[in-house]
Amino acid sequence: MFNPSQADVRRFFCGAHAKALAGQPMEAIETLASQWIAEHPEYHADLADVEAALVRVYDGQDGTQNPFLHLSMHLSISEQCSIDQPRGIRQAVELLERRRQSLHDAHHEVMECLGKMMWEAQRAGRPPDGQAYIDCVQRRATQDRT
């Protein structure tokens, strides 16, 4: 199993961003990452300086989001949908995308479900509950926003 370090993840996203800006050839995963990066111009400054990215602490104290965590979640959801794992995630995300009329907005809602599932699993010391995750996404896809 691939288990990148925090530094590996940050180098990956900074590198994908640099390649996209320079018009350089990219691997498929870098292309996908660069598409999500393009959706988040607020992260471009963080991604422009790999050395600063490697030492920056994103602890939420200053109210900023960790761009590397956020972009990693986009990639995770994209990968889950491409292989439909957990089973049913592709259909649930597609339904949510149609409902919200935006894949980007759908991903942000899915991230809330993904984060909740991971938090609950860690808190309880058990494996993530894929069915609870799918159920959460499906509820969001079928209910009106409040």
Side-chain angles (χ1 to χ4, degrees):
M1 214 162 116
F2 183 62
N3 190 18
S5 69
Q6 175 180 290
D8 293 335
V9 170
R10 291 178 181 203
R11 282 187 189 99
F12 167 77
F13 282 110
C14 291
H17 182 58
K19 284 183 177 181
L21 290 176
Q24 294 176 337
M26 292 186 277
E27 300 290 327
I29 191 72
E30 291 171 319
T31 300
L32 182 58
S34 71
Q35 291 167 346
W36 287 116
I37 290 167
E39 292 284 333
H40 290 281
E42 69 274 21
Y43 297 156
H44 291 183
D46 291 290
L47 299 169
D49 184 347
V50 68
E51 296 307 317
L54 291 173
V55 298
R56 174 117 188 240
V57 175
Y58 295 94
D59 59 8
Q61 297 289 346
D62 60 1
T64 61
Q65 208 173 35
N66 182 332
F68 304 100
L69 174 59
H70 188 86
L71 293 168
S72 293
M73 290 181 82
H74 273 301
L75 284 184
S76 294
I77 294 164
S78 294
E79 180 65 14
Q80 290 170 0
C81 290
S82 76
I83 62 172
D84 198 30
Q85 281 299 322
R87 187 177 169 97
I89 191 65
R90 179 186 302 135
Q91 182 183 29
V93 171
E94 288 172 354
L95 180 60
L96 185 57
E97 176 187 4
R98 283 192 301 275
R99 187 79 186 248
R100 301 299 180 241
Q101 299 180 347
S102 165
L103 179 60
H104 189 229
D105 291 347
H107 265 227
H108 284 187
E109 289 200 49
V110 174
M111 283 179 196
E112 292 181 34
C113 296
L114 179 58
K116 179 181 179 190
M117 176 192 65
M118 296 306 296
W119 180 80
E120 288 176 351
Q122 288 175 346
R123 184 184 67 169
R126 66 174 193 265
D129 183 346
Q131 189 58 53
Y133 173 47
I134 298 300
D135 292 346
C136 178
V137 176
Q138 288 174 334
R139 272 191 308 277
R140 286 174 172 273
T142 58
Q143 294 175 353
D144 288 328
R145 284 193 245 189
T146 54

